[in-house]
Amino acid sequence: MKSLAVLHASQLVTLAGPTRPRLGRELSELAIVHDGGMLIRDGRIAIVGPSSEIERNSGDAEVIDARGKVVLPGFVDAHTHLVFAGNRLDDFECRARGDTYEQIAKAGGGIWSTVEKTRAASETDLLLETRRHADWFLRCGTTTVESKSGYGLTVEDELKILRVMRRLNQETALEIVPTFLGAHAVPRKMNTNEYVDLVINEMLPQVTSEDLAEFCDVFCERNYFNLEQSRRILGAAKKRGLKLRIHADQLSNSGAAKLAAELNATTADHLEKTDEDGIAALKSGRVQPVLLPGSVYALGSTYYPQAREMIEAGLGAVIATDFNPGSSPTASMPMILSLACTQMKMSPAEAISASTINPAYSLGRGDQIGSLEPGKLANFAIFDCEDYRELAYWFGVPLTHGVYVKGEKTH
Ligand SMILES: [Zn+2]
């Protein structure tokens, strides 16, 4: 296989550092090489350093001239709902007129319209439709996403969604880490406890026997799954060898952050309503917080999670898109960088660590992706700007110049 030499990046943002999530002040340390370069062999990074050193070792490698550009590890998006059919344009318009998410759901819009469309779609149709979503991520510089099921809510439809993820992972350049979120909502005309039994006794065994997921997630929230129901599902998933993520404290402070700590979940996600006690629990349970400012923004709320308090408490903070048709229809990590800085008061450097190396660890892939270091996969993005801070600053401007997965150009 060919070699590639990336040369003369105005900033090669390596994120080289300890082999664990970055905590507290470490989030600000990006290990930038000015006039930096990288030698890539067989899809992996061989050498990282000043361009002069790379040139000396490059032999007959194909050269990528990154003069005047920033090179970053591919973004790692640790919270998405990638696979669904259709869109929610009508809900979007209702919200623009002033209806709330809960009002829209009560009126029969919301998640149900997506569940119905997703159930009606065949596996092949769903694959064709969601290839477009995968392409959006790559185009914005993201090379790995976590992706949740949860728009099927029957055994067969949840499995269908997970199988589509597996095929997308094989057929597109985007790496997809699958999470089973059967407990995303309770199907209509079903009692919650009955549905919890179905998730535990029928869905989970099939998901794990077909090896369709690495993680299990639950939407722990008032009117969805309460603490006890969430504990039952996640406990059962853990026994079957799945790692845990949890939708926690989004609409109310229900104690879900504490549940995440109790169960040693890998991440607790959303956390808009998490208070000091919740933050302390995450710290003691070594749970990584995954903050999703895109959904706060798109719902027209101003209630963002307390990112500063979490970073200062020493948590391995992550930011992600929460890509989904209802509350966060964006695949753009640069947009999330902007929101992290303007709305959650994170620095641009913290936002970069929270969208690369920290999510890589949250997905159990910190040894393979998330930084530009020898031995790791050559997953990287080149941007048309000279300073990484521009990515968060020029919001809404597409700056992606090239995106590479295992050394192959995908965009
Ligand atoms: Zn979500």
Side-chain angles (χ1 to χ4, degrees):
M1 206 173 151
K2 65 179 183 190
S3 300
L4 272 182
V6 180
L7 298 174
H8 302 299
S10 64
Q11 293 182 338
L12 189 88
V13 182
T14 70
L15 287 115
T19 55
R20 55 167 173 73
R22 305 301 144 77
L23 312 173
R25 288 207 186 140
E26 293 170 351
L27 276 113
S28 306
E29 293 160 13
L30 301 183
I32 295 171
V33 184
H34 296 274
D35 192 13
M38 250 186 335
L39 186 67
I40 292 155
R41 286 198 199 104
D42 298 333
R44 287 192 183 264
I45 299 166
I47 314 175
V48 177
S51 285
S52 53
E53 184 192 336
I54 305 303
E55 268 179 315
R56 272 200 308 277
N57 290 283
S58 62
D60 60 356
E62 181 190 331
V63 170
I64 299 169
D65 188 350
R67 216 173 291 262
K69 297 186 171 60
V70 166
V71 178
L72 275 180
F75 291 120
V76 178
D77 195 335
H79 185 133
T80 83
H81 304 253
L82 185 77
V83 176
F84 55 85
N87 58 49
R88 296 256 278 279
L89 286 170
D90 294 337
D91 296 7
F92 178 67
E93 192 171 346
C94 287
R95 267 207 314 279
R97 284 201 303 259
D99 297 356
T100 66
Y101 191 71
E102 279 159 330
Q103 280 170 332
I104 292 166
K106 265 188 195 141
I111 187 171
W112 287 107
S113 55
T114 300
V115 170
E116 278 162 13
K117 284 178 203 151
T118 306
R119 283 178 177 175
S122 70
E123 189 174 318
T124 305
D125 289 344
L126 208 48
L127 179 71
L128 290 174
E129 192 170 348
T130 52
R131 276 176 165 275
R132 185 165 173 241
H133 304 165
D135 191 58
W136 288 338
F137 281 96
L138 289 166
R139 254 199 267 174
C140 294
T142 296
T143 50
T144 299
V145 300
E146 181 262 13
S147 173
K148 303 170 196 299
S149 68
Y151 291 113
L153 310 183
T154 65
V155 177
E156 139 201 5
D157 291 302
E158 286 296 305
L159 292 172
K160 175 177 74 183
I161 291 167
L162 290 165
R163 289 186 192 121
V164 168
M165 287 183 207
R166 175 180 281 176
R167 285 178 65 185
L168 278 175
N169 191 37
Q170 290 161 348
E171 295 174 22
T172 72
L174 186 68
E175 182 189 21
I176 296 169
V177 180
T179 294
F180 168 60
L181 176 59
H184 193 192
V186 183
R188 281 183 167 156
K189 295 179 195 152
M190 212 165 173
N191 162 297
T192 305
N193 282 323
E194 276 170 27
Y195 185 62
V196 170
D197 289 341
L198 181 77
V199 168
I200 293 174
N201 299 325
E202 296 186 43
M203 292 183 185
L204 269 173
Q206 295 210 45
V207 168
T208 50
S209 77
E210 286 188 43
D211 201 16
L212 284 168
E214 292 183 30
F215 291 90
C216 181
D217 191 344
V218 171
F219 194 58
C220 182
E221 190 65 60
R222 196 174 46 199
N223 300 330
Y224 291 85
F225 299 91
N226 66 27
L227 278 180
E228 193 42 49
Q229 291 156 346
S230 301
R231 185 183 280 116
R232 278 184 61 208
I233 294 169
L234 294 172
K238 199 172 171 181
K239 272 197 198 128
R240 291 189 175 273
L242 296 179
K243 293 175 283 182
L244 310 180
R245 317 180 86 79
I246 180 167
H247 280 70
D249 302 342
Q250 179 185 7
L251 307 172
S252 59
N253 183 0
S254 64
K258 289 180 194 164
L259 179 66
E262 171 194 321
L263 294 170
N264 291 112
T266 306
T267 67
D269 302 39
H270 275 291
L271 307 174
E272 282 89 331
K273 300 288 164 70
T274 301
D275 60 11
E276 264 171 52
D277 289 352
I279 292 173
L282 296 176
K283 169 86 172 160
S284 71
R286 303 176 81 181
V287 181
Q288 285 188 263
V290 179
L291 309 180
L292 310 167
S295 60
V296 182
Y297 164 81
L299 290 175
S301 165
T302 51
Y303 211 119
Y304 286 88
Q306 300 184 45
R308 284 252 58 82
E309 285 78 356
M310 293 181 197
I311 291 170
E312 272 142 38
L315 302 183
V318 173
I319 56 175
T321 61
D322 192 16
F323 175 74
N324 77 76
S327 62
S328 193
T330 184
S332 169
M333 192 64 86
M335 180 66 197
I336 301 305
L337 298 180
S338 165
L339 292 172
C341 297
T342 61
Q343 309 302 308
M344 300 198 297
K345 305 302 174 197
M346 291 171 68
S347 71
E350 289 170 338
I352 294 289
S353 295
S355 56
T356 54
I357 190 71
N358 278 6
Y361 278 103
S362 88
L363 295 176
R365 283 160 170 74
D367 59 338
Q368 296 293 319
I369 56 173
S371 66
L372 303 176
E373 294 179 273
K376 285 200 173 180
L377 293 174
N379 292 3
F380 61 98
I382 304 176
F383 294 98
D384 272 319
C385 54
E386 294 192 335
D387 185 313
Y388 72 89
R389 294 175 297 179
E390 293 182 63
L391 291 172
Y393 174 72
W394 303 114
F395 72 91
V397 180
L399 293 173
T400 319
H401 175 83
V403 182
Y404 295 75
V405 172
K406 297 176 188 166
E408 296 287 334
K409 192 164 197 279
T410 67
H411 267 285

